[in-house]
Amino acid sequence: MTLRYVVAIPLPKKDITSIHILWLCLYLSLGVSVVFFLILFLLKNLGVEYIRPLGNYAYLIPISAFLVSYLEVATYWLSRKESYRLISKFSVIQSIGGGVVKLSLSLVPISAFGLILGQMVQQFFFLPFFFGRRKKTKVMKKNIIKLLFIFSDFAKYRLPAHLMLVLSLQMPILAFSAMYDEDIVGQLSLATMLLTLPVTLVSNSVGKVYYSKVSSIGSNKPDEIYELTRRLTINLAKLSFPCTVLVYCFSPYLFTLFLGEDWMAAGKMASVMSVMLLFQFLSSPILNAFNIFKKQKIVLALNIVRVSLLVSLFAVCHRNNLTPMSTVSIFSATSSFYYLLVLCVIFRVIKNEVND
């Protein structure tokens, strides 16, 4: 929605520049929302098969997408201001408020609209809060246009890289849907959800703090960034390694204990994928080091490698009719290699900046 210009909000030294980037993101998001609305209107009136079942709910998609992008913009701004307690506090308020609305509307006979409206209300919660906290600043359109070109690498390279990232995250479920029956897909979905949820929450939170810190340090002090990155990675390894060992050894028993015998396969899949998540947990929080040194091309190249690896491995597994557990094992090993590669590239980029 913001063409990934949102990632540039923490980078400038002066707040006024970041505020102009913030408004650039909001203008872009609004423009993309209008384009989405027009495309949906056209597809709906042409009777496209995949749009018809949504009915008039389809027109809520651009509105919801704008609210999601606004939330991301606000979060990046608050991260820049190191307002982490406010982010956490309001995330809780959002979740509770949205949940109450959904539960309340579920008692009213208005079909699925209650869930949809509850979700949108949950997204809307952040708007008045963020508007109320920002200081009024004069924004000049010519400066917004200038920043559109200054940070154009985020649209050229980071946007396609992000789209590839989303594709690669969804690819295991899509591939398993094509290769195996619904029961196996359900087992993998549950294992993936229970494993990635805590990892994603922690790594995203740590990543925001890391990005704010290295942005304040600046690219002219790569030695400080290198030391911060090194210490963070060591601490993350100390935290994640014991958890990985526990998940690897006991997840089959825990899944069976809490979910029943039917979910034994999900527990075994979680055990195999735990190794992959260890390397993901180490590399994900420090990915924004690439933004500090304007290495957007490297991010795009890494995501091209990731998608290529996943497409190749699932094609080979499908052609050789491998069992689901064999496919999960190969997927975990390949992904572990990729995350380890990312980790090495990040340190190499920072080390090169130090040497230069």
Side-chain angles (χ1 to χ4, degrees), residues 1 20 32 54 76 117 127 131 136 163 176 185 196 218-220 222 242 257 289 293 297 310 327 330 340 353-354:
M1 297 295 291
H20 278 80
V32 174
L54 293 175
Y76 268 95
L117 183 61
L127 268 71
F131 270 119
K136 290 185 178 180
L163 293 173
F176 268 65
V185 177
T196 57
S219 59
N220 59 333
L257 177 63
F293 300 111
K297 292 181 181 179
L310 291 179
T327 302
I330 296 173
L340 184 59
E353 293 292 329
V354 172

Side-chain angles (χ1 to χ4, degrees), residues 10 75-76 78-85 87-88 201-217 228 232 284-286 288 292:
T75 302
Y76 268 95
L78 291 176
S79 296
R80 172 185 172 83
K81 305 302 290 183
E82 298 187 359
S83 302
Y84 308 117
R85 183 175 295 179
I87 296 174
S88 301
L201 286 173
V202 176
S203 63
N204 284 349
S205 299
V206 174
K208 288 173 184 175
V209 177
Y210 171 80
Y211 194 23
S212 176
K213 293 293 184 184
V214 294
S215 297
S216 62
I217 293 173
L228 174 64
L232 176 61
S284 294
I286 61 175
N288 282 316
I292 302 298

